[in-house]
Structures are given as structure tokens and as C-alpha cells.
Amino acid sequence: MRGTEGERTGSAAFRPPAAARFRHPTQVIAGGFALAVAIGTGLLSLPAAAESGERTDLLDAVFTATSAVCVTGLVTVDTGSHWSTFGEIVILALVQAGGLGIMTLATLFAVLISRRLRLRAQLVVQTETKAPGRGDMRRMVRNIVLFGLCCEAVVAAVLTAVFLVRYDRPPGTALYAGVFHAISAFNNAGFSPYRDNLMSYVGDPWVCLPIAAAVIVGGLGFPVVFELARFWRRPRSWSVLTRLTVGLTVTLLVVGTVVITTAEYTNPETLGPLGEPEKWLAGFFASTVARTAGFNSIDISAMGSEGLLATDILMFIGGGSAGTAGGIKLTTFGLLAFVIWAEMRGNPSVRIGHRRVPEGNQRQALAVALLGVGAVVVSTFVLLGLTAHSLDRILFEAISAFATVGLSTGITADLPPAGRILLIVLMFAGRIGPLTLASALALRERGRRYELPEERIIVG
């Protein structure tokens, strides 16, 4: 008994405190996003944040704050009519912080104050930005923030001029609308101060195309954008990440535009009343925002089953890694496609271009995809039991939340409290990333000093 007690005392003496165990970069990122949601909830719960001057229901405040920080765009209350100007500015600040990354902004402030970065801070930024190597993290953080702000400024200037000239809005109103939509678009959030989102501008390319451009650029991912800026004239010098991201982005934009436009071409409640150019513009915009911005220029609730299914697929795939888009990411989808192709051809390794992809990357892609499928299936099953809505609408809502898209068939506000809480969890898990969230929950990594004998099993 004494020996046992001594062993317990000794193990307790050498057990690291809780603060020391909370060191993994993914844990810090998850904690940073949770803190931002908590701060946003507190601010949105203030009477000054609501147009009526009364406190917003706590669950609605938590839902909106999570949706903003996770750059999703799903709402349980109308953004333009429920929130005051102060509330909308809070939402915009949360979108900006969530889009650029809580840890990226925190590290930038640390650089400005101390002029140096510790190794742990560099690892946190590398995890958040998905940088392939440690390199100069300070320069990377600075480039990320400057690039994001410059893109938002350009789009805001264009939209402000459009609202001012084409729609004769007062200068202050035009500037506010331009800045709001520019920040929301680049960060792939989908929030809009208008009750019908962008449905009033369905046939206006001067509004839809700048927003679509911001969505695409923000969703490419920072490493891809920086590499394109350096080697845009030499495609052969592009990395595998850039080739996959650019190739799949173009492919999904074209295929998505054709499929959605064709599926909704004669629908009298979506594309039917529009002229030929407007139909293709609306189809292109719908294909763009499905990965994963959340704006809508047509009535999503009126789309047919084919259009909803096509949007489901685009939402689940999402955008580029290390960008503001959600979903399982283009690299995950593309890598799994090459894994299948290599297996069908009987190749012993997976090759993309003139590079061999390590097995660790393949396992990561498989884990992210399967965790995503599992999260969507389980949440869809639970929501079906909580509500009386049809399967296609519930599935659409679950994928939209997990992929941090923000598109909705209009059932978000009708969900019971348990359903809204489930969507909050989905949005948070989708923004952090299934694999990152799982790593954050693990208090420590376990090394294996031995391997078991190999045995093949029957597959299929």
C-alpha cells in the first residue's frame, strides 16, 4: 500500500499542470475561436445591438455569433431588420476576425508589440494558415492581413460606386453597403443587411461579379494566392497544392454553372422569368457562392431537387485550403480522386503531376472526408427526428452548416432550440476542421515504438 501511495504521489508530483498540457496549436486555435464566439455573444446580447433596443434571446445571439466567427451566414433572425447598426458592425468584426483567423490576428499583434515571435506562436500560425513550412511566419502573417484588406478595399470601392451611381443611394448608405458586402464576400460569410440578400440584384453583373470575384479569391487559400502572384506566368512551376486548387476551382465553377442553370432553367420561381444572359449569370453566381459564401441571388427554397442536390455537392466539397472557404476542401476531394485513380490502375503510389503524395496526406484526406460524411449523416438523422421538414431540406441545412456556407431553404428560424444548438456545433466543427478539432481534443500525442505483424483483409 505504501509503495502504491508513493507511486501515486510521485506521478502526481511530475504531472504537468493543465496550462502546460494546453499547448498543441490546434487546441489554441479551437480555444481562440470559442473565445471569439463568447465575446460576440456578449456584445450581441446587449440592448444596443438590437433595432428594438431590447435584449436578443441568448440562443439567437450565440447562433449569430457562431455563424459570424465561423464565416457561415446562417441566421435565425433577419440581419437587416433585427440588428442595429452597432449589431451589424459587431457581426462584421466577427466575420473579419473569423475569416482571417483568430490566431493570425493575435500573432500579428504580438509581432507589432514585441517585434519577435516565439516558436510556439509560429507553430500556431502555421497550423491556422496551413503553411507548408515554418519559414518567416511574421512575413506570412503580414502578407495575409495586407492581402485580405486590399482585396476588401478594392471590392468595397467598386460596390460603393455601383450603389452610388446605378442605384442612386446616398453616399453614406452606398459606402456602408459596399464595405459590408466586400468584407462578407472575401471572408466567404454571406451576411447581407438586405432582407432578400442579393435577390434584387440577380441580373446585375456590376454587383454579382465583384462579389463572386471576392468569394473566389478568398476561397483559393493564401498559399495558392501567393504562389500564383509569384509564378502566374509559369504554370509548370506550380506546386501540387496550387495545381489541384486552381484546376478544381475552374472545373467546379464551370460544371456547377452548367448543372444549376440547366436544372433551374425553366423553374418559374428561380431562373425561369430571367432573360438568357441573366440566367447564366445567376447560375454562375449560385455555383460560386455554394463554395462557400452563402449569398443568394435566387430563392433557394424554390429550387428543385436537382438544383438542391448539385448545391449540396458543391457545398460539401468547399474551397481551397488555408482560405476563408469551408467544406472538406478542394485538396481533400482532389487527392481522394487521385487515390481512387491510382488504385484502379494498380499503381503502388499516388502521383499528381511529377510528385508522389505521401501516405500521411492520403490518410488525412480520408479522415477529413469520412468525418465530414459522418457529421452530416448523424446531424441529418437527428434533425429529421426533431422537425417535420423533408429530407432534402434537412440535408441541405446540415451540409450548409458543416461546410460553413450559409445557404438555407428557409427552415433555420423554424428549428427547435435543440436543432439550432446542433447547427451551432456543426458550424464550429466545420470551421475548425474535423481533423483539427479531433487533434485539439487529444491532450497529448502518443508515439508507437513497435509495429504489429501485417495481415491483409478482404475489402469490398
Side-chain angles (χ1 to χ4, degrees):
M1 293 293 293
R2 291 181 180 178
T4 303
E5 185 67 21
E7 291 174 1
R8 291 177 180 175
T9 305
S11 62
F14 290 97
R15 183 178 300 169
R21 295 196 300 267
F22 194 75
R23 288 182 176 179
H24 199 284
T26 56
Q27 290 179 299
V28 180
I29 292 170
F33 274 89
L35 178 62
V37 170
I39 295 174
T41 300
L43 293 175
L44 292 177
S45 298
L46 297 175
E51 194 69 42
S52 62
E54 301 177 356
R55 287 186 176 273
T56 301
D57 180 74
L58 180 60
L59 185 56
D60 289 331
V62 174
F63 193 98
T64 305
T66 306
S67 182
V69 172
C70 298
V71 292
T72 304
L74 286 176
V75 294
T76 54
V77 294
D78 181 65
T79 303
S81 60
H82 179 83
W83 302 110
S84 64
T85 302
F86 171 74
E88 292 178 359
I89 292 176
V90 170
I91 292 174
L92 211 58
L94 294 175
V95 167
Q96 186 74 288
L100 295 179
I102 299 297
M103 292 299 103
T104 304
L105 295 177
T107 306
L108 174 65
F109 296 146
V111 172
L112 295 176
I113 293 174
S114 63
R115 294 293 181 180
R116 65 186 182 91
L117 276 175
R118 298 180 61 185
L119 177 61
R120 186 186 305 171
Q122 294 181 6
L123 292 176
V124 168
V125 179
Q126 180 182 339
T127 304
E128 170 61 21
T129 60
K130 308 285 194 308
R134 185 161 62 91
D136 190 347
M137 289 295 117
R138 291 185 296 181
R139 180 177 299 177
M140 175 164 289
V141 172
R142 182 191 63 192
N143 291 341
I144 288 173
V145 175
L146 289 179
F147 173 75
L149 295 178
C150 288
C151 287
E152 291 170 355
V154 171
V155 177
V158 173
L159 292 178
T160 300
V162 172
F163 290 134
L164 188 64
V165 176
R166 288 176 63 88
Y167 295 94
D168 199 24
R169 302 283 176 81
T173 304
L175 178 62
Y176 181 78
V179 172
F180 194 102
H181 287 98
I183 294 177
S184 185
F186 178 79
N187 292 289
N188 279 216
F191 281 95
S192 174
Y194 301 140
R195 180 179 294 273
D196 63 350
N197 207 275
L198 296 177
M199 291 176 60
S200 300
Y201 308 99
V202 61
D204 190 347
W206 292 100
V207 173
C208 293
L209 292 183
I211 291 179
V215 169
I216 293 172
V217 173
L220 283 177
F222 300 115
V224 173
V225 170
F226 292 157
E227 186 171 343
L228 288 176
R230 293 194 301 266
F231 305 114
W232 66 275
R233 292 184 177 181
R234 291 180 290 170
R236 293 185 178 181
S237 301
W238 293 356
S239 64
V240 173
L241 172 65
T242 300
R243 292 183 181 186
L244 273 179
T245 303
V246 174
L248 286 175
T249 296
V250 174
T251 301
L252 291 180
L253 282 176
V254 173
V255 174
T257 299
V258 173
V259 172
I260 293 178
T261 304
T262 303
E264 299 294 322
Y265 198 86
T266 58
N267 189 335
E269 299 183 42
T270 55
L271 302 185
L274 302 176
E276 189 71 20
E278 288 80 10
K279 287 182 179 181
W280 288 102
L281 174 63
F284 170 76
F285 190 79
S287 175
T288 301
V289 298
R291 308 173 27 253
T292 53
F295 291 107
N296 64 285
S297 61
I298 58 176
D299 187 1
I300 301 298
S301 63
M303 292 180 69
S305 299
E306 298 87 350
L308 289 177
L309 179 59
T311 307
D312 284 339
I313 297 173
L314 292 174
M315 290 193 301
F316 188 76
I317 295 174
S321 299
T324 54
I328 63 171
K329 299 297 190 293
L330 291 169
T331 47
T332 302
F333 176 76
L335 179 54
L336 289 179
F338 274 97
V339 170
I340 296 173
W341 179 248
E343 193 66 26
M344 291 176 61
R345 291 173 58 90
N347 294 334
S349 60
V350 177
R351 298 180 180 181
I352 302 178
H354 299 286
R355 294 291 185 270
R356 179 174 58 86
V357 180
E359 293 183 0
N361 274 159
Q362 301 173 38
R363 291 195 300 268
Q364 271 187 332
L366 183 62
V368 169
L370 290 181
L371 284 173
V373 171
V376 169
V377 169
V378 172
S379 57
T380 300
F381 184 83
V382 174
L383 289 174
L384 282 173
L386 294 174
T387 69
H389 295 290
S390 60
L391 173 61
D392 56 349
R393 295 181 181 273
I394 290 295
L395 179 63
F396 190 95
E397 203 80 8
I399 295 177
S400 180
F402 172 78
T404 66
V405 179
L407 293 175
S408 175
T409 57
I411 68 173
T412 310
D414 298 333
L415 294 177
R420 299 184 189 184
I421 293 174
L422 178 58
L423 291 187
I424 290 174
V425 175
L426 276 176
M427 289 188 291
F428 190 84
R431 180 63 181 102
I432 302 300
L435 200 59
T436 303
L437 184 62
S439 300
L441 296 177
L443 293 179
R444 59 185 177 182
E445 297 179 354
R446 296 177 176 86
R448 179 176 295 176
R449 299 184 179 181
Y450 64 92
E451 285 293 343
L452 297 174
E454 183 181 275
E455 179 178 349
R456 289 186 175 272
I457 62 175
I458 299 176
V459 178

